[in-house]
Amino acid sequence: MSRLRSDPGSNPHENEFVSGYPARICDHVPGNKYLCCNCNNVLKKAQQTLCGHRYCSPCLSWIVRNHKTPICPKCEEDPGSLTEDSYLTEDKAFSDTAINKEISELKVHCVTSGCQWSGVLGEYEKHNCEKTLSKDPNSRKSNIPTKSKNNQPDTMDCRFAPLGCIYRGSRDQIRDHEGLAAASHVSLVLPVLLQIQSARPAAAVKENGFCDYNGDGHKLPASIRNGESVDEEMATDCGSHNGGVTGPHLISRICALESRIQVAENIIMVMNREIDSSNVKRATALEESNEERGRVRACETKIADLRCTIAKKDMEINRLQVHLASLEQTSYDGIFLWKISDLTRKCQDAREGRTISLYSPAFYTAKYGYKVRLRVYLNGDGAGKGTHISLFFTVMRGEYDVLLPWPFKHKVTFMLLDQSNREHVIDAFRPDTTSISFQKPAADMNIASGCPLFCPLSKLHAIRNNYVVDETMFIRCIIDAN
């Protein structure tokens, strides 16, 4: 099996951590967002999947390459979160530029024994660590460490070099490297596993060509049972290093890995069935949810109709209440007492033009008589504007107008009551029978007629007078019905 080699002067850290960087190289404990969801190391060439999790680029490649149905391990921890995006493919993942930039700025230090280098992670693989460099360019010709002239150990290859690992270092460094790069070494073993697996059908046809290996149920070629290697070059390379793994032992480990892969495939099969069952339940739940939403929309429509009906009824109730209040104040004997409260505010509204006049409730000269009302200008009107209260009398269209004599001829008397009963303000007039104001109404009410100079404002608000008490004044109208 061919393998890659670097020049003697190449960077010794280039393949030190094939997958992620161990957290121990960081000066401070890195946050979870910087850790790979597979190897749990600091991300190296971070890739983000559609399900939102991050992996080292080598880890993601290993997961996709070694699983028939690669599922995000992080999503598998919570089966309820599994979606279509949990199935991993390299073409659907993208380089997470932002997180790679943050990781490159993490404060780190060299993990090589005796090296004092520190800096940011982006510079880690570029630093020249003298503790790991070989001073003898010919030392790569042998994998067995020897003593140089200065009594320092030469470098040697990683024991997984026959499978493609390019790391070199001293014996101690090799031991540390193999502990840190276990995940990457497994990815190098995988092609050998696949080669052996593909060779099984051909070997199976040979009579008595299989035997149980170590009693674990795995059938292996008889040549392996006798200590022979399926791939002689691989077995030779694997056993050529000091303390290396021999061919049969490697096959044993591969069989164990195959067993684990089969267990993982069985788990994935069970999970797929669970996912299918969950999808059915989800579809049923969605259908029920849609039905519930339909019922809710129907109820909302009914509620809207009821609110509209209630609003109409409220308007009718308000109209009836106004009418009832008007009836309670209605007089049928030609004598009407008008109570005007909150006088200060109403006078202010009149001065500022917001409400220049007020109408009294309607009243009658008799039970079936004329319908009339009063109109007052609290800041005056016409000749009395700004100086007097102006008070007018208005004939309205009534229910019995066809039975009444026209024009209206009855004497009208106005009174502003002194609430101490000392001096009332009194004014009276007789209708001008030629005026349109006293003819039979053609509209809701005729033009008002009365007294524009009814009461001076100075007199109304004089302290000695009691025309206004507690913001209230009273106006009485008397119609002589005889």
Side-chain angles (χ1 to χ4, degrees):
M1 180 182 296
S2 61
R3 56 182 179 176
L4 299 177
R5 284 287 185 264
S6 59
D7 294 335
S10 64
N11 189 346
H13 302 278
E14 183 175 358
N15 197 41
E16 183 173 1
F17 307 118
V18 178
S19 295
Y21 302 94
R24 63 189 180 87
I25 73 171
C26 297
D27 292 352
H28 305 285
V29 178
N32 288 334
K33 69 175 182 177
Y34 300 132
L35 301 182
C36 174
C37 292
N38 180 57
C39 65
N40 206 37
N41 289 334
V42 178
L43 289 160
K44 184 174 185 179
K45 299 179 181 178
Q47 297 281 313
Q48 187 172 141
T49 62
L50 294 181
C51 59
H53 297 120
R54 297 186 180 94
Y55 294 89
C56 301
S57 180
C59 287
L60 180 61
S61 299
W62 185 87
I63 293 172
V64 173
R65 194 169 58 244
N66 290 276
H67 295 79
K68 293 181 180 179
T69 307
I71 300 176
C72 173
K74 205 66 176 178
C75 293
E76 282 188 302
E77 295 177 4
D78 180 14
S81 67
L82 288 172
T83 65
E84 292 182 0
D85 293 338
S86 300
Y87 293 90
L88 304 181
T89 59
E90 291 187 76
D91 60 331
K92 292 184 179 179
F94 58 91
S95 177
D96 195 331
T97 306
I99 206 70
N100 281 330
K101 184 176 184 301
E102 293 182 26
I103 290 173
S104 69
E105 297 172 353
L106 293 177
K107 300 294 185 181
V108 298
H109 54 273
C110 184
V111 295
T112 303
S113 177
C115 181
Q116 302 299 318
W117 181 90
S118 63
V120 296
L121 188 55
E123 301 295 329
Y124 180 80
E125 293 188 350
K126 297 179 182 179
H127 88 273
N128 186 17
C129 181
E130 296 181 356
K131 298 295 181 179
T132 61
L133 291 179
S134 171
K135 302 301 182 180
D136 182 5
N138 297 321
S139 62
R140 296 184 63 86
K141 296 181 181 178
S142 172
N143 291 327
I144 302 175
T146 60
K147 296 292 184 176
S148 61
K149 294 180 179 179
N150 57 3
N151 204 31
Q152 294 296 323
D154 292 327
T155 59
M156 61 182 293
D157 288 338
C158 171
R159 290 190 297 169
F160 286 84
L163 300 179
C165 182
I166 63 174
Y167 183 78
R168 288 177 60 83
S170 66
R171 187 183 302 278
D172 291 340
Q173 292 166 356
I174 289 291
R175 183 171 57 254
D176 291 341
H177 161 72
E178 290 180 353
L180 294 170
S184 61
H185 288 162
V186 171
S187 67
L188 297 175
V189 172
L190 180 64
V192 180
L193 172 63
L194 295 177
Q195 181 180 1
I196 294 174
Q197 190 173 22
S198 63
R200 284 184 173 182
V205 300
K206 296 181 180 180
E207 184 178 1
N208 299 324
F210 290 93
C211 66
D212 289 333
Y213 189 86
N214 288 339
D216 62 356
H218 289 278
K219 297 293 185 178
L220 297 177
S223 58
I224 297 178
R225 180 191 57 193
N226 297 327
E228 300 174 5
S229 172
V230 173
D231 190 326
E232 294 181 358
E233 179 184 356
M234 178 189 72
T236 302
D237 285 343
C238 289
S240 63
H241 302 289
N242 187 20
V245 180
T246 62
H249 288 89
L250 178 61
I251 297 301
S252 176
R253 293 185 183 182
I254 291 173
C255 290
L257 289 174
E258 278 189 316
S259 177
R260 293 182 183 180
I261 290 172
Q262 185 60 47
V263 171
E265 289 177 348
N266 293 338
I267 293 173
I268 292 173
M269 187 180 302
V270 172
M271 291 182 65
N272 286 337
R273 287 199 294 268
E274 291 294 329
I275 290 171
D276 292 340
S277 176
S278 298
N279 288 337
V280 172
K281 293 179 181 178
R282 179 174 176 272
T284 303
L286 286 175
E287 184 177 353
E288 293 176 354
S289 177
N290 290 334
E291 292 177 356
E292 287 295 330
R293 280 196 288 267
R295 286 192 284 268
V296 169
R297 284 193 293 268
C299 290
E300 289 175 346
T301 301
K302 290 181 180 179
I303 291 172
D305 293 340
L306 289 174
R307 285 176 176 170
C308 183
T309 301
I310 291 172
K312 291 179 180 178
K313 290 186 178 297
D314 287 342
M315 291 175 62
E316 182 64 18
I317 289 172
N318 290 336
R319 187 189 67 79
L320 291 174
Q321 287 176 341
V322 171
H323 181 64
L324 179 61
S326 176
L327 291 176
E328 289 176 349
Q329 298 181 51
T330 300
S331 169
Y332 294 93
D333 58 1
I335 300 175
F336 177 72
L337 181 62
W338 186 10
K339 179 182 179 181
I340 302 176
S341 57
D342 196 11
L343 195 64
T344 299
R345 181 184 63 81
K346 292 176 180 177
C347 288
Q348 182 71 19
D349 290 344
R351 286 193 297 271
E352 295 178 358
R354 287 192 293 271
T355 306
I356 60 175
S357 67
L358 302 172
Y359 283 102
S360 75
F363 61 99
Y364 296 82
T365 59
K367 187 172 183 180
Y368 305 108
Y370 298 96
K371 184 179 182 181
V372 298
R373 75 188 324 175
L374 303 180
R375 185 177 186 181
V376 65
Y377 290 80
L378 295 177
N379 195 46
D381 182 60
K385 187 172 182 64
T387 59
H388 289 71
I389 288 179
S390 300
L391 185 58
F392 298 93
F393 176 83
T394 303
V395 178
M396 303 180 67
R397 182 162 57 189
E399 296 87 342
Y400 309 103
D401 288 351
V402 295
L403 305 178
L404 299 173
W406 296 96
F408 181 86
K409 300 178 180 179
H410 301 287
K411 178 183 176 182
V412 179
T413 302
F414 293 147
M415 298 178 64
L416 174 60
L417 301 182
D418 182 346
Q419 297 181 43
S420 62
N421 289 318
R422 290 182 300 180
E423 182 182 357
H424 302 311
V425 176
I426 302 175
D427 201 349
F429 68 92
R430 287 188 177 276
D432 179 0
T433 56
T434 62
S435 172
I436 193 173
S437 297
F438 300 101
Q439 306 301 317
K440 182 180 178 181
D444 288 340
M445 60 183 174
N446 288 344
I447 298 173
S449 180
C451 305
L453 302 176
F454 175 62
C455 178
L457 292 175
S458 58
K459 184 176 183 179
L460 175 70
H461 298 294
I463 298 176
R464 67 178 182 278
N465 298 324
N466 290 309
Y467 298 115
V468 179
V469 177
D470 296 332
E471 292 288 306
T472 303
M473 75 176 183
F474 294 92
I475 294 177
R476 176 174 289 167
C477 178
I478 301 174
I479 299 174
D480 185 359
N482 295 326

